[in-house]
Amino acid sequence: MECKREPSDGPTPGEVEIASTRKPLIAANWKMYKTPVEACAYAETFLPLVAGHTRDEIAICPPFLALEPLEKSVRGSGIFIGAQDMHSEKEGAFTGEISAPMLKSIGVSHVILGHSERRHYNYESDWDVNRKLHAAIRQQVTPIVCIGEVQEEREEGRTNDVLLRQIKIGLEGIKPDEAATIVIAYEPIWAIGSGQSASPEIADETHAFIRSAVRERLGNSVADGMRILYGGSVKPETTAALLSKDEIDGALVGGASLDPESFAKIVKY
Ligand code: PGA
């Protein structure tokens, strides 16, 4: 996967030159929905609806079992396939796990890391996410790292502290020249599956904070090139307003991506 690159003023010494334009990424997170057969039926409806659409990068992240059949169904369409998680080791005695090389071997290019449901139900820590991020970079799978606060943290004014901790530990040990493919998805947990998206203004402001935190750690080129997606109750009707914001470089879509017509509308916001 390559983002559109445009010439910039040039990196400051010691910095790696990274994209100055950010191609929007619209990613579908199907969670634990759809069998392989249902995934292929989805592709049949979805592909004609988005044929020739090159403005945005589109990725679909189905459950593990549907990855390979879906990859075959969309091959040649320009649509990317992503996993919803992976293990940080290449192989080993890790019952029930799937590694980055295994994903790559069937044409998977993206992976969602640290989704709040995995942090909550599977007790994934910021350090787990960090290990997986290093593995994704090593194995050249595009990581979509999810961060976000719960309702209570926002109400108590702790949003930025929570995000900062997730960014600091999540990106620990990542060097600027390794960061080009990293995508961050800001998903306020109170907005996920609630039908209540963050307002474009709140999302934009929070994305700007995230970018400034990335800038502090990894420098201007990385921060300017990094795509920061918004996720949490994105719907066809709300996408344009969200994506019109300077700091919002795409969307991670759960519920509304399960219907091919609805997801196509989001892609073509
Ligand atoms: P939602 O889920 O769009 O259903 O709120 C988003 C996500 O969990 O990634």
Side-chain angles (χ1 to χ4, degrees):
M1 188 280 301
E2 274 296 312
C3 308
K4 207 163 114 204
R5 303 268 191 258
E6 272 189 4
S8 69
D9 293 333
T12 46
E15 276 192 333
V16 178
E17 186 165 5
I18 299 183
S20 59
T21 12
R22 305 187 289 260
K23 183 169 187 169
L25 167 61
I26 315 288
N29 174 13
W30 284 0
K31 310 194 178 189
M32 199 172 71
Y33 291 99
K34 296 194 192 293
T35 63
V37 168
E38 288 165 346
C40 295
Y42 182 106
E44 255 178 55
T45 312
F46 182 66
L47 289 185
L49 298 175
V50 296
H53 184 92
T54 53
R55 179 192 58 188
D56 310 274
E57 183 175 312
I58 306 170
I60 303 179
C61 308
F64 284 125
L65 279 183
L67 286 168
E68 191 170 15
L70 189 62
E71 192 280 326
K72 285 186 180 139
S73 303
V74 305
R75 202 174 285 169
S77 68
I79 292 172
F80 294 92
I81 299 298
Q84 298 172 15
D85 181 41
M86 61 171 219
H87 197 270
S88 55
E89 295 296 321
K90 280 203 295 209
E91 59 181 10
F94 301 104
T95 302
E97 295 290 344
I98 308 250
S99 72
M102 292 170 186
L103 295 172
K104 278 194 79 180
S105 74
I106 56 163
V108 171
S109 54
H110 292 54
V111 65
I112 298 172
L113 298 178
H115 189 279
S116 61
E117 285 150 16
R118 294 207 59 84
R119 291 177 189 259
H120 182 71
Y121 297 114
N122 300 74
Y123 308 104
E124 280 192 15
S125 68
D126 293 321
W127 287 111
D128 291 325
V129 176
N130 177 253
R131 275 188 288 277
K132 292 178 184 199
L133 178 59
H134 279 278
I137 291 169
R138 266 196 310 274
Q139 304 297 330
Q140 299 177 326
V141 180
T142 298
I144 303 174
V145 181
C146 300
I147 58 174
E149 81 287 0
V150 299
Q151 177 92 44
E152 199 187 354
E153 291 162 338
R154 178 158 284 275
E155 280 165 7
E156 290 171 358
R158 291 193 285 128
T159 299
N160 290 358
D161 291 345
V162 171
L163 296 175
L164 215 47
R165 187 204 71 226
Q166 291 171 333
I167 293 166
K168 190 167 169 276
I169 302 177
L171 297 181
E172 177 68 36
I174 303 289
K175 299 185 188 69
D177 64 351
E178 298 170 327
T181 61
I182 299 176
V183 177
I184 289 183
Y186 170 57
E187 297 208 305
I189 296 165
W190 46 270
I192 295 177
S194 67
Q196 191 57 56
S197 161
S199 69
E201 291 70 32
I202 285 186
D204 195 44
E205 192 180 290
T206 313
H207 282 216
F209 173 77
I210 294 167
R211 199 177 302 286
S212 70
V214 170
R215 192 178 304 282
E216 218 167 273
R217 274 155 193 79
L218 294 168
N220 288 333
S221 300
V222 172
D224 291 339
M226 185 173 283
R227 291 177 296 176
I228 305 179
L229 316 184
Y230 169 77
S233 294
V234 173
K235 301 264 176 324
E237 315 81 66
T238 56
T239 312
L242 284 162
L243 278 272
S244 70
K245 294 293 184 191
D246 283 354
E247 292 291 342
I248 304 182
D249 308 312
L252 181 56
V253 189
S257 73
L258 292 172
D259 171 56
E261 267 136 32
S262 143
F263 189 50
K265 281 192 195 138
I266 289 174
V267 165
K268 302 202 290 199
Y269 62 91

